[in-house]
Amino acid sequence: GMKKFQIEERFIAPKIEKKVGLAQHPDFLRAMNLSEQENYPDALILLHRVVRDDPNHLEAYLEMRRIAELNKDATSYNKFSAAIFDILLRTRDWDLLLDLYQQYQNSPFRQPLLAKSLLGLGTFFEETLDFRSAAQHYEEVTVNYPQDPVSLRAYSKLARLYFEKMPDREKAIENFWRSYH
């Protein structure tokens, strides 16, 4: 049945090739060629198509961030960095996330990240047992985005962190009440 309906060729093999990177999006390959020729505007158009088709295409976002850095475009650099962090948080690729986050921290184009990305980074640091960094990211959410619903989660996470991991009862209660109000 599998041979007759070509199940392997039509469904299984393409998914495996996509996972191991043997088959690459054709627009991505063209974009990389354009980027090598320093034709960044056309490369960006193709890269945007790639991420529209595949929102988890890490390599496309990395190239878009590199182009933003070359063009000294801080807004795009931060937007693409946030997308990269979100992908790496979902895939739980901690080593690459930490390396790229360090690069981001040292970049002259760094701006405050979006609330969702900050919350994700806080969770990452919490899971890797770096509670101070986690608290710092959660606090950044509450300071920069006080009206965002994500702030409520950040306050809750701060309260729990200060109660359980970094014994500071006063800060824990303060954050609990902030989340309540």
Side-chain angles (χ1 to χ4, degrees), residues 58 87-98 124:
L58 180 63
I87 291 169
L88 294 174
L89 288 165
R90 279 193 305 275
T91 60
R92 302 179 70 80
D93 190 342
W94 295 152
D95 292 332
L96 185 56
L97 175 63
L98 196 54
F124 158 72

Side-chain angles (χ1 to χ4, degrees), residues 151-162:
S151 258
L152 176 64
R153 291 179 55 201
Y155 280 127
S156 298
K157 286 179 171 273
L158 277 168
R160 187 181 42 73
L161 261 182
Y162 283 123

Side-chain angles (χ1 to χ4, degrees), residues 142-155:
T142 63
V143 169
N144 292 341
Y145 306 97
Q147 301 303 315
D148 193 307
V150 172
S151 258
L152 176 64
R153 291 179 55 201
Y155 280 127

Side-chain angles (χ1 to χ4, degrees), residues 112-120 122 133-162 171-172 174-181:
L113 291 167
L114 299 173
K116 177 184 150 207
S117 297
L118 288 170
L119 188 74
S133 294
Q136 175 187 348
H137 284 82
Y138 295 147
E139 287 171 359
E140 194 173 341
V141 171
T142 63
V143 169
N144 292 341
Y145 306 97
Q147 301 303 315
D148 193 307
V150 172
S151 258
L152 176 64
R153 291 179 55 201
Y155 280 127
S156 298
K157 286 179 171 273
L158 277 168
R160 187 181 42 73
L161 261 182
Y162 283 123
K171 278 191 173 185
E174 175 186 333
N175 282 292
F176 171 77
W177 284 112
R178 284 183 177 168
S179 72
Y180 178 75
H181 292 291

Side-chain angles (χ1 to χ4, degrees), residues 2-178:
M2 286 185 68
K3 272 188 179 183
K4 181 178 179 178
F5 294 110
Q6 297 178 326
I7 302 291
E8 185 175 349
E9 293 85 4
R10 291 176 45 206
F11 301 106
I12 297 171
K15 288 186 180 194
I16 291 171
E17 286 176 5
K18 186 175 180 182
K19 282 277 192 206
V20 296
L22 297 176
Q24 200 51 268
H25 194 291
D27 284 340
F28 177 72
L29 297 174
R30 285 193 292 273
M32 294 306 292
N33 286 334
L34 289 170
S35 188
E36 286 176 13
Q37 298 167 10
E38 297 181 7
N39 184 351
Y40 301 127
D42 290 340
L44 282 171
I45 290 169
L46 292 174
L47 290 168
H48 279 288
R49 270 195 230 161
V50 171
V51 298
R52 183 192 65 216
D53 293 344
D54 180 5
N56 291 318
H57 200 291
L58 180 63
E59 293 84 7
Y61 279 113
L62 287 167
E63 183 61 17
M64 289 173 16
R65 184 177 91 154
R66 187 184 78 82
I67 291 171
E69 193 171 21
L70 290 171
N71 291 334
K72 298 179 179 14
D73 181 354
T75 303
S76 294
Y77 179 84
N78 284 282
K79 179 176 111 178
F80 300 138
S81 293
I84 290 166
F85 297 150
D86 291 344
I87 291 169
L88 294 174
L89 288 165
R90 279 193 305 275
T91 60
R92 302 179 70 80
D93 190 342
W94 295 152
D95 292 332
L96 185 56
L97 175 63
L98 196 54
D99 287 343
L100 293 174
Y101 181 73
Q102 293 299 334
Q103 287 177 16
Y104 174 80
Q105 287 293 93
N106 296 326
S107 172
F109 305 112
R110 181 174 62 104
Q111 297 173 342
L113 291 167
L114 299 173
K116 177 184 150 207
S117 297
L118 288 170
L119 188 74
L121 286 167
T123 302
F124 158 72
F125 284 114
E126 192 174 343
E127 287 185 20
T128 58
L129 306 179
D130 184 350
F131 302 123
R132 294 272 173 229
S133 294
Q136 175 187 348
H137 284 82
Y138 295 147
E139 287 171 359
E140 194 173 341
V141 171
T142 63
V143 169
N144 292 341
Y145 306 97
Q147 301 303 315
D148 193 307
V150 172
S151 258
L152 176 64
R153 291 179 55 201
Y155 280 127
S156 298
K157 286 179 171 273
L158 277 168
R160 187 181 42 73
L161 261 182
Y162 283 123
F163 265 129
E164 297 172 2
K165 306 295 182 189
M166 303 171 2
D168 188 337
R169 185 174 165 77
E170 287 180 30
K171 278 191 173 185
I173 292 170
E174 175 186 333
N175 282 292
F176 171 77
W177 284 112
R178 284 183 177 168

